[in-house]
Amino acid sequence: MKQEEWRERERIYACWLCNFPDIGNKQLHRLSQLCGGPEAVYLADKGKWGEVLSPKQVESLARYTAVWKPEAEYRKMKEEGIEVLTVGDERYPERLRRIPDAPYGLFVRGKLPQPDAPAVAVIGSRECSEYGRYVAKVLGGFLGQRGVTVISGMARGIDGIGQEAALEAGGYSVGVLGSGADICYPAQNRGLYEKLIKSGAVLSSYPLGTPARPQNFPPRNRIVSGLADAVVVVEARAKSGTLITVDMALEQGREVYVVPGRVTDRLSDGCNRLVKQGAGVVLGPESFFEEIRQLWETGKKTSPKAAEQPNTFLEQTQIPGLPKEQAEVWGALDFEPKSPEEIRGQLSDKYPEKQIVTCLMQLCMENLAVQVSPGRFILRKITT
């Protein structure tokens, strides 16, 4: 079999595997590594699947596989202008591949990000002020005109304004969705969605048809920061989802910049606090672009070495001194928000749900887990 034929078959079965909804990112990595790729996972038996998945997940995958027609579904997806990339695909964005929690699969609609151009995530408040709207528009347009990829979440407010401005200036932008790549969210940004498909791209780690849910957005945010060389916050309140993206950017080693605001403006509380904590300050589009250009040039010189760094996320399997039940609960977590019930379904020993909740609270107190929404928890990255 020719190499290109083999790659196409891998994409066919990646479409099958990544569209299966009842599996976490860490399990996708482990299952693919165990079997040797998506097609090998498809051909494996339940016993092999059971080395990674819970019995309930194995049965769910078997039922899903019995009715899924890989080649037909793959053709249907391609006809809609969507393709799927796994982390092992040579076209998978290199910046994202190097983050420790890289999503196993991406659904992409539009043109893939160019690896030879600097990229900046422009993020901020949905309920932005006129000042924030003006800054996002000027900054997005300035960066887009000069060949800088503008990354954001296609949300209302700062995110969408910056992306729209970049496209209007003839630039390139990527919208990362908290839904399937075939769903425009929010619906009011349909015009931007269509422009991104034509001149940029929308992408998602979620199966096609997945509706936007609150628990989908923290993992979405890590992709926004992971695709960028730097993150710039235009407006953010003291308690804002934007700051989750900032935390993830810092864990990924990205530079963080902010547009400072008046001390009496609640929309600037988050930005001003980040300044106090040492974030870079955007004084104007020209000076900011020059800093990004220098950052990009420095990154190009060091990127070959960085690309050789292993993905240590999957090797992080135990913490010395952690009680057995806490260790098992921690091992079931990844960067996809999960409920105690979902975690219980992954564990070999069936602890009562109340005990799992207790373990999760203890893990949060020890900074090993984060509660991102009521009843939903994710892994906190351990830095060494």
Side-chain angles (χ1 to χ4, degrees), residues 222-283:
R222 71 184 168 90
I223 298 176
V224 169
S225 56
L227 285 168
D229 299 305
V231 173
V232 56
V233 183
V234 176
E235 283 185 330
R237 296 182 184 274
K239 293 183 179 180
S240 166
T242 299
L243 301 183
I244 296 176
T245 309
V246 170
D247 288 342
M248 292 177 174
L250 293 172
E251 287 184 348
Q252 295 164 353
R254 303 307 191 242
E255 295 294 327
V256 174
Y257 294 82
V258 298
V259 176
R262 295 174 298 182
V263 296
T264 57
D265 189 346
R266 299 287 72 85
L267 279 170
S268 293
D269 284 347
C271 293
N272 293 340
R273 186 172 297 175
L274 288 171
V275 172
K276 185 176 180 181
Q277 293 170 351
V281 177
V282 177
L283 299 177

Side-chain angles (χ1 to χ4, degrees), residues 282-357:
V282 177
L283 299 177
E286 294 88 353
S287 60
F288 177 68
F289 170 72
E290 183 59 28
E291 288 193 48
I292 293 303
R293 189 188 64 78
Q294 292 177 7
L295 181 68
W296 167 245
E297 291 297 331
T298 301
K300 281 201 299 184
K301 294 175 183 177
T302 60
S303 60
K305 182 178 179 181
E308 295 170 5
Q309 297 300 313
N311 186 336
T312 58
F313 173 64
L314 298 175
E315 299 171 8
Q316 201 168 278
T317 57
Q318 60 182 1
I319 298 177
L322 204 61
K324 178 178 180 291
E325 61 273 17
Q326 286 187 38
E328 287 204 25
V329 171
W330 182 81
L333 290 169
D334 57 26
F335 290 88
E336 297 284 337
K338 294 180 181 178
S339 67
E341 182 181 2
E342 290 170 330
I343 293 168
R344 185 173 185 269
Q346 289 183 230
L347 302 182
S348 55
D349 293 332
K350 297 301 180 185
Y351 300 109
E353 190 170 322
K354 185 176 180 180
Q355 187 175 1
I356 293 174
V357 171

Side-chain angles (χ1 to χ4, degrees), residues 1-12 74 89-90:
M1 184 185 298
K2 295 180 180 179
Q3 189 174 42
E4 189 50 46
E5 291 177 354
W6 172 80
R7 287 174 179 165
E8 188 70 2
R9 288 188 63 81
E10 286 292 279
R11 289 168 191 149
I12 290 170
Y74 179 72
D89 194 303
E90 62 182 4

